[in-house]
Amino acid sequence: MQDIQNQLQSRLEAHFSPVLAEIVNESYMHNVPPGSESHFKVTLVSAKFDGMRLVKRHQEVYSVVADLMKGPIHALALHTMTEAEWSERGTVPDSPDCRGGGR
């Protein structure tokens, strides 16, 4: 069986055909056991986002990974952009430090 990060990557690439898909496991930044796959930072750049509002983009991502969100994945930090937006920004912000879970 694929690990969660690879499942996430495969599904998002299959659905969005992105020019950039970067999935980073940020679980280590949270109060979870070592080796966890529960918190991910997702950067997707896709033509599929053209003309789509940010909320709709996120809804589309969540629809592709709905079953994973019910189980192993606790949180996704989503950065969804069109190619033009990516050309303009070219970067995504660092995720903030975890403030919960006894840290």
Side-chain angles (χ1 to χ4, degrees):
M1 179 169 191
Q2 283 185 310
D3 63 10
I4 302 306
Q5 184 170 352
N6 285 335
Q7 287 183 55
L8 191 56
Q9 183 100 28
S10 295
R11 289 183 191 194
L12 295 175
E13 287 179 353
H15 185 81
F16 292 101
S17 301
V19 295
L20 174 71
E22 181 178 60
I23 291 48
V24 178
N25 184 350
E26 294 187 329
S27 301
Y28 70 93
M29 296 169 60
H30 301 272
N31 189 20
V32 297
S36 292
E37 290 186 286
S38 58
H39 296 72
F40 294 92
K41 179 177 178 177
V42 175
T43 304
L44 282 177
V45 179
S46 173
K48 189 160 187 167
F49 296 136
D50 289 342
M52 194 181 286
R53 291 177 172 251
L54 186 61
V55 170
K56 180 64 178 159
R57 295 175 190 184
H58 289 198
Q59 289 171 336
E60 189 83 12
V61 170
Y62 285 124
S63 73
V64 173
V65 299
D67 62 320
L68 296 175
M69 294 299 298
K70 290 178 183 176
I73 296 178
H74 174 72
L76 295 177
L78 298 177
H79 303 278
T80 54
M81 292 170 258
T82 64
E83 291 182 56
E85 291 166 339
W86 179 249
S87 292
E88 186 177 306
R89 294 180 200 161
T91 188
V92 295
D94 291 335
S95 296
D97 291 333
C98 178
R99 294 181 177 229
R103 277 203 155 182

